[in-house]
């Protein structure tokens, strides 16, 4: 079977020759090719070379476009920072005053960083799209204002300035549609959206129900392709039931600290679950530890056809031992077919 066929089997709940698996190895392509990170995350062809190396080394069933959410904020201004073995980040948010944030409209796609994301996705889809799903990563509409203003300013605006928060949400929703639409046009199979501001440890239940969920329903419902909900580094099992009716969302990436069994109970037998390897923790795991961890997750989900083994949290770190990644793959092979 091809990777695309395995992923479709998981989506449909059909038998497969083995379990589909993936890890977020966007950054890791730079490690495998020895490409300087700044060149890797600015030259689309270098990114394709890195992901080609990922496919040769690990052969995951889903490959990722650049996992560089800060490029979305930097399109509005702000100050970037580059580190040797990490993706670029935002040193200072583009705006401090919520009243100064303005939508870019059609200008969004003219930004060099955004252009890089779209072109890298196009190259990936051209090279691998017939056999492997290409997942593009897009900032959630409810999270983009936090990247533009800072978390505290966005939270304060959400709580105390409904008129301004509505304007910022409209900006973010327009941004999401323009960028996700361009990525789908470039050949992305689906987008994954890490969501932080739906976390009940950060927002109140009333705010979630009144503001956050409606914004996600609007944005995901208008998306030109499927949206996979990513836990965004937070536990989500306590509010997963509130997310179950989001439109155009075929699956959820579950936090490694959450229970897959409880997530399955909450979402029902036919929703796609992905998880719950801790991607950053693989940097500290030796190959046998990684194999045993992956094997335990696979054993827990042995009877669950609607499951894909996947890493959660952020990108797998640059310093991770390549043999550790191969050990995860070995656990998948050893687990055998999905009956």
């Amino acid at each position: 079977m091809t990777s695309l066929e395995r992923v479709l089997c998981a989506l449909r709940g059909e038998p497969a020759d083995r379990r589909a698996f993936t890890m977020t190895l966007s950054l890791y392509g730079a490690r495998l090719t020895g490409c300087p990170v700044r060149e890797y995350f600015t030259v689309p062809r270098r990114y394709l070379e890195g992901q080609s190396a990922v496919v040769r080394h690990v052969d995951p069933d889903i490959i990722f476009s650049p996992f560089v959410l800060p490029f979305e904020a930097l399109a509005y201004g702000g100050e970037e920072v580059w580190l040797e073995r990490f993706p670029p980040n935002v040193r200072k948010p583009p705006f401090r005053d919520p009243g100064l944030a303005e939508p870019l409209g059609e200008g969004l796609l003219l930004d060099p960083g955004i252009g890089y994301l779209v072109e890298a996705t196009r190259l990936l889809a051209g090279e691998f799209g017939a056999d492997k799903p290409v997942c593009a990563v897009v900032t959630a509409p409810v999270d983009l204002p936090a990247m533009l203003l800072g978390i505290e300013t966005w939270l304060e605006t959400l709580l105390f300035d409904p008129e301004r928060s509505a304007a910022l949400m409209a900006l973010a929703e327009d941004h999401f549609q323009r960028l996700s639409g361009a990525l789908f046009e470039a050949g992305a199979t689906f987008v994954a959206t890490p969501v932080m501001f739906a976390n009940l440890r950060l927002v109140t239940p009333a705010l979630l129900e009144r503001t956050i969920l409606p914004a996600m329903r609007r944005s995901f419902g208008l998306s030109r392709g499927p949206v996979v909900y990513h836990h965004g580094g937070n536990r989500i099992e306590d509010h997963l039931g509130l997310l179950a009716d989001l439109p155009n969302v075929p699956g959820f990436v579950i936090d490694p600290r959450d229970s897959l069994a409880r997530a399955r109970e909450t979402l029902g037998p036919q929703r796609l679950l992905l998880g719950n390897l801790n991607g950053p923790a693989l940097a500290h795991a030796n190959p046998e530890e990684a194999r045993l961890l992956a094997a335990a997750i696979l054993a827990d989900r042995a009877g669950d056809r609607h499951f894909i083994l996947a890493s959660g949290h952020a990108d797998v770190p640059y310093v991770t031992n390549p043999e550790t990644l191969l050990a995860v793959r070995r656990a998948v092979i050893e687990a055998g077919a999905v009956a």
Side-chain angles (χ1 to χ4, degrees):
M1 300 182 77
T2 67
S3 291
L4 181 59
E5 290 169 336
R6 287 188 199 98
V7 171
L8 288 174
C9 283
L11 184 64
R12 298 166 181 163
E14 297 172 353
D17 63 338
R18 64 162 173 78
R19 181 71 64 182
F21 86 104
T22 191
M23 290 175 279
T24 313
L25 297 168
S26 170
L27 170 65
Y28 206 76
R31 158 77 182 266
L32 291 176
T33 57
C35 183
V37 167
R38 187 160 190 157
E39 180 180 353
Y40 181 74
F41 282 126
T42 53
V43 181
R45 180 62 60 177
R46 298 288 88 80
Y47 188 82
L48 173 64
E49 292 168 357
Q51 291 309 293
S52 297
V54 165
V55 170
R56 289 193 300 271
H57 183 73
V58 188
D59 196 24
D61 290 300
I62 300 169
I63 56 175
F64 291 85
S65 73
F67 199 157
V68 194
L69 300 181
F71 276 170
E72 297 182 50
L74 291 169
Y76 295 81
E79 185 179 335
E80 65 185 13
V81 58
W82 292 85
L83 299 173
E84 184 178 352
R85 295 183 174 184
F86 297 88
N89 211 333
V90 180
R91 188 190 301 274
K92 293 181 181 179
F95 308 103
R96 285 298 181 186
D97 182 350
L100 297 178
E102 296 289 341
L104 294 179
E106 295 180 1
L108 173 68
L109 300 180
L110 301 178
D111 176 79
I114 298 298
Y116 163 82
L117 297 177
V118 174
E119 179 61 12
T121 301
R122 188 188 68 78
L123 292 177
L124 287 178
E127 185 74 16
F128 299 111
D131 298 316
K132 292 182 182 291
V134 175
C135 172
V137 186
V138 183
T139 300
V142 296
D143 287 0
L144 181 66
M147 296 174 67
L148 299 181
L149 303 169
I151 291 175
E152 291 184 3
T153 302
W154 174 226
L155 186 57
E156 182 179 347
T157 304
L158 275 172
L159 290 171
F160 303 115
D161 191 344
E163 182 176 345
R164 178 58 59 189
S165 65
L168 287 164
M169 203 73 85
L171 177 159
E173 290 176 36
D174 179 75
H175 172 109
F176 182 86
Q177 295 305 325
R178 290 182 189 276
L179 179 53
S180 62
L183 292 167
F184 280 121
E185 186 175 347
T189 314
F190 62 93
V191 299
T193 302
V195 184
M196 182 172 63
F197 269 82
N199 178 11
L200 288 176
R201 294 167 180 81
L202 191 61
V203 300
T204 64
L207 189 56
L208 180 64
E209 293 274 8
R210 183 179 67 247
T211 303
I212 303 298
L213 288 174
M216 289 197 292
R217 290 190 188 105
R218 288 191 300 269
S219 295
F220 297 168
L222 291 172
S223 172
R224 292 170 54 181
V227 180
V228 169
Y229 189 105
H230 187 287
H231 63 87
N234 300 295
R235 302 188 68 165
I236 61 173
E237 64 179 24
D238 59 350
H239 60 278
L240 188 57
L242 298 173
L243 309 172
D245 67 345
L246 288 172
N248 211 13
V249 176
F252 294 82
V253 182
I254 305 301
D255 187 280
R257 297 164 294 181
D258 285 336
S259 164
L260 288 167
R262 184 176 174 191
R264 172 59 68 213
E265 181 180 351
T266 300
L267 293 173
Q270 297 186 351
R271 300 296 289 277
L272 182 65
L273 291 180
L274 301 95
N276 55 347
L277 279 171
N278 186 324
L282 291 174
H284 309 292
N286 64 46
E288 182 61 11
E289 289 170 339
R291 187 189 70 81
L292 290 174
L293 177 59
I297 297 170
L298 291 165
D300 178 74
R301 294 290 94 202
D304 189 345
R305 289 180 178 175
H306 294 275
F307 174 70
I308 294 174
L309 180 70
S311 64
H313 286 298
D315 231 331
V316 170
Y318 188 102
V319 297
T320 304
N321 183 348
E323 293 300 317
T324 297
L325 305 181
L326 289 177
V328 173
R329 177 178 175 80
R330 187 160 61 250
V332 172
I333 302 301
E334 291 171 351
V338 179

